[in-house]
Amino acid sequence: MDKALLEFTERLVPISDFSQGKAGKIFNDVSENNKEYIILKNNQPTAVLLSIKEYKDTQEKVAKLEKLLEKNLIVFIN
């Protein structure tokens, strides 16, 4: 199996894992190893679990990109 595909499938976590005593391990992995998990409900991707650091970094990048797009749009319009 392709390594990338294997790593992706390891990030998929059924929501039932949280009620089966696996939540602590998952949250530790997120906070200590900066891992991301895709939470499945009824075998469908429902949510993403990521560290606060990764969330903040992503929000900062989005804000910078929005400012850049606004500047470029203003230049393009003028």
Side-chain angles (χ1 to χ4, degrees):
M1 184 180 287
D2 183 7
K3 183 180 177 183
L5 180 59
L6 182 60
E7 288 176 2
F8 176 76
T9 57
E10 288 174 350
R11 293 177 26 214
L12 300 173
V13 178
I15 199 165
S16 60
D17 282 6
F18 289 89
S19 63
Q20 296 175 353
K22 298 177 185 177
K25 178 186 176 291
I26 293 168
F27 281 102
N28 283 339
D29 201 23
V30 168
S31 65
E32 293 174 7
N33 302 316
N34 211 27
K35 295 275 184 157
E36 298 175 2
Y37 286 91
I38 299 168
I39 311 303
L40 303 174
K41 183 176 180 182
N42 299 323
N43 290 324
Q44 297 296 316
T46 305
V48 175
L49 180 63
L50 60 143
S51 69
I52 292 293
K53 179 190 178 313
E54 187 65 31
Y55 175 77
K56 287 179 180 179
D57 290 348
T58 301
Q59 292 303 308
E60 288 174 9
K61 289 176 185 175
V62 167
K64 288 177 183 177
L65 282 171
E66 286 175 343
K67 287 180 184 178
L68 184 62
L69 285 171
E70 286 174 10
K71 287 180 183 177
N72 286 336
L73 186 59
I74 291 169
V75 169
F76 182 71
I77 292 173
N78 291 328

